[in-house]
Amino acid sequence: MSGNRGKVNFDKMADILDCTKVKMASPQEVQKVTGFEVGSVPMVGLPLPCVIDKQLFSYDFIYGGSGQPTFTLKIEPQALNELKSDSNI
């Protein structure tokens, strides 16, 4: 989850995730892997690795997918971090 819209450092992400290469998933790949369409992928509850950009902690709240196309999740960055930590992801 990035605090810099459109500016993800894929090489750094690959290092963090211990992968050889990281790339943006196509809408079809997102649907296949998560079961959700782009724009509604929930920020919590998926058994996938998650890296949270430290820039997000400068905001009172962050907004993202809820799993429903017509709803957005509003959450404190620290609460998101705790939820991710509790799920061992």
Side-chain angles (χ1 to χ4, degrees), residues 3 18 22 27 56 70:
D18 196 26
V22 173
L56 292 176
T70 56

Side-chain angles (χ1 to χ4, degrees), residues 22-69:
V22 173
K23 69 175 185 75
M24 189 71 69
S26 71
Q28 295 81 13
E29 290 169 323
V30 171
Q31 175 77 40
K32 181 179 178 181
V33 171
T34 69
F36 296 93
E37 292 183 14
V38 170
S40 63
V41 177
M43 291 197 300
V44 295
L46 292 177
L48 297 171
C50 178
V51 177
I52 301 174
D53 187 336
K54 65 182 176 186
Q55 290 183 30
L56 292 176
F57 292 94
S58 66
Y59 298 102
D60 292 332
F61 296 98
I62 55 175
Y63 301 83
S66 67
Q68 299 293 321

Side-chain angles (χ1 to χ4, degrees), residues 1 41-46 65-66 73 75 79-80 83-84:
M1 297 175 200
V41 177
M43 291 197 300
V44 295
L46 292 177
S66 67
L73 177 63
I75 189 168
L80 176 63
L83 286 170
K84 289 297 185 183

